[in-house]
Amino acid sequence: MVFTDEQGVFSSDPSFVATEMNGLKPQIVFKLIGPDLEDSQNLPGNLRSMNEFCSIVEQGEGLSIEDAMTITRLYKTKKVRQTPTFKGCLEIGGGTQFAVHIINKITPTSHQQSLKMCGGAGEAVTRDRVYHLQDEKQTQLDPDCMNKGYRYGKSYIPISKVDANLMTTETEKELVLICTTKRSNIRKEELCGKYAYSVIPPPTDVSGGAGLAAFATALRDLDMVAVCRYVKRADTAPKLCCLFPNIKSYCATLMMVELPFSNDIKKTEFPRLRSAPKSDQLSAIDKLIDSMDLTTKPEFKASEISNPAIQRRYECVTHRVLHPDNPLPEVDISHFLPLPL
């Protein structure tokens, strides 16, 4: 971090230094923060040169103080190394298969798991669970003597551990192509599941990567997707998944999203409108949609929107550590989740 009053000598041609920085490994991230950067067209000499320097450096960015303060309000979790959740083969039939790794691309973050029970002064505590029968004596049970039960009406049908093991589906770890279909046949509401996965080739498998890229490119060219049977581990329930081509300028891979079974689809019926909407109502909705249109504004990116619930929790924990006796700050999510209006 370097502070400057902009009074020193700064080269009027910073391109040479910027080019040298771009060639360094690892790359240097250069951020310029100044009070006058809102109006980049009318900057004084030195500040104009430094702002130009930021635009040339690959990892450079010029920020106003207001923008910098907005960024510092956001709390970010520590980055962890991504590890594959599945290492196996994608079988597409006819004895053809590609070695693949599956990694989580989108994983919902739970902000509740960081809160644990503790004493009033922060002492660590332990938790003990006890089971009782719903009888007059509240008879305590040993967990080893308990079985799972299937609720039928007001009664429970006990299922022994032997029966429970026989009820499980015997499966093998696999990712097998079932069929291909037009992309339009997969409706948006049918994309379910908690996660989205990236299906990529192993880093050292060059030939397999070429085959997977060819398969993904063929799906893209034909505007099709692949429906697969996915078993993450042996003897676990199979899942129905859809593979979408993910073509970039530097690679061609697949994205995998879970699909529902017929048991998961709930049929809903909606009553018909008793009267058609009036013209003034339609006009009001048109104006609302136009006001929220982002085509003339910066592109909407989910990767740049932080979860306000997680941000609020981090804000409160940080405030409690720094100010243990003061009340928590008021809730203000405007800097966590700004509206486009």
Side-chain angles (χ1 to χ4, degrees):
M1 182 179 296
V2 178
F3 293 91
T4 177
D5 57 2
E6 307 172 26
Q7 301 302 317
V9 178
F10 195 87
S11 173
S12 59
D13 184 16
S15 58
F16 174 76
V17 179
T19 303
E20 292 295 324
M21 288 183 59
N22 290 337
L24 295 177
K25 298 294 181 181
Q27 289 185 333
I28 298 176
V29 178
F30 186 89
K31 293 186 181 294
L32 174 65
I33 301 175
D36 303 320
L37 291 181
E38 294 93 341
D39 186 10
S40 59
Q41 302 297 327
N42 300 313
L43 296 176
N46 279 349
L47 197 56
R48 187 190 310 113
S49 298
M50 286 189 285
N51 193 44
E52 180 184 353
F53 177 75
C54 286
S55 63
I56 300 175
V57 176
E58 293 180 358
Q59 297 292 332
E61 184 180 11
L63 299 171
S64 65
I65 291 181
E66 181 180 355
D67 292 338
M69 291 297 295
T70 301
I71 294 175
T72 57
R73 293 192 188 105
L74 300 179
Y75 301 87
K76 295 186 178 181
T77 56
K78 181 179 65 174
K79 291 184 178 180
V80 296
R81 185 174 59 124
Q82 284 188 331
T83 56
T85 59
F86 175 91
K87 291 183 179 180
C89 293
L90 168 60
E91 301 178 18
I92 63 174
T96 303
Q97 59 183 16
F98 308 115
V100 295
H101 287 178
I102 296 179
I103 60 175
N104 287 4
K105 179 65 175 178
I106 298 177
T107 304
T109 301
S110 174
H111 58 276
Q112 297 288 349
Q113 60 186 4
S114 59
L115 295 182
K116 307 295 181 183
M117 298 300 295
C118 65
E123 305 90 348
V125 298
T126 58
R127 181 174 60 181
D128 189 16
R129 179 176 295 181
V130 180
Y131 295 92
H132 296 270
L133 289 177
Q134 292 183 358
D135 56 10
E136 295 181 357
K137 297 182 180 181
Q138 292 290 305
T139 307
Q140 183 174 340
L141 291 179
D142 186 353
D144 295 333
C145 300
M146 297 172 55
N147 292 319
K148 293 183 178 181
Y150 179 81
R151 186 167 183 173
Y152 185 77
K154 295 183 179 180
S155 305
Y156 287 90
I157 301 175
I159 304 296
S160 66
K161 294 181 179 179
V162 176
D163 293 340
N165 292 332
L166 295 175
M167 291 173 63
T168 58
T169 306
E170 294 184 3
T171 56
E172 296 182 358
K173 174 182 174 181
E174 61 183 1
L175 179 62
V176 180
L177 176 67
I178 298 176
C179 67
T180 57
T181 183
K182 284 292 184 181
R183 188 164 187 166
S184 58
N185 292 335
I186 305 297
R187 296 182 295 182
K188 293 183 174 121
E189 64 268 22
E190 293 176 345
L191 301 177
C192 62
K194 291 184 178 181
Y195 311 101
Y197 304 92
S198 291
V199 182
I200 62 175
T204 58
D205 190 356
V206 178
S207 60
L212 185 66
F215 181 63
T217 304
L219 291 176
R220 190 272 312 272
D221 294 342
L222 297 173
D223 193 25
M224 303 187 77
V225 295
V227 179
C228 295
R229 165 188 165 98
Y230 174 53
V231 180
K232 183 177 180 180
R233 290 185 299 270
D235 296 333
T236 58
K239 295 181 179 181
L240 192 64
C241 294
C242 184
L243 299 178
F244 295 86
N246 182 33
I247 310 299
K248 304 291 185 181
S249 58
Y250 52 89
C251 68
T253 59
L254 298 168
M255 293 295 297
M256 185 172 73
V257 182
E258 187 176 344
L259 295 176
F261 292 103
S262 60
N263 313 75
D264 305 321
I265 301 175
K266 309 301 179 183
K267 295 182 180 180
T268 55
E269 296 182 0
F270 300 95
R272 294 183 178 181
L273 293 175
R274 296 182 179 179
S275 60
K278 299 179 181 179
S279 59
D280 58 337
Q281 294 174 329
L282 293 174
S283 177
I285 291 297
D286 288 340
K287 292 181 181 179
L288 175 63
I289 294 175
D290 291 340
S291 65
M292 301 183 69
D293 184 13
L294 295 180
T295 56
T296 58
K297 299 177 182 179
E299 182 183 359
F300 172 80
K301 294 182 179 180
S303 59
E304 298 179 358
I305 299 179
S306 301
N307 187 331
I310 297 178
Q311 296 298 316
R312 172 63 179 172
R313 185 173 298 276
Y314 289 157
E315 181 183 37
C316 292
V317 172
T318 303
H319 184 87
R320 178 59 63 227
V321 172
L322 299 177
H323 311 284
D325 300 326
N326 295 348
L328 294 177
E330 296 182 0
V331 179
D332 180 16
I333 67 171
S334 60
H335 54 276
F336 297 148
L337 191 62
L339 297 177
L341 301 180

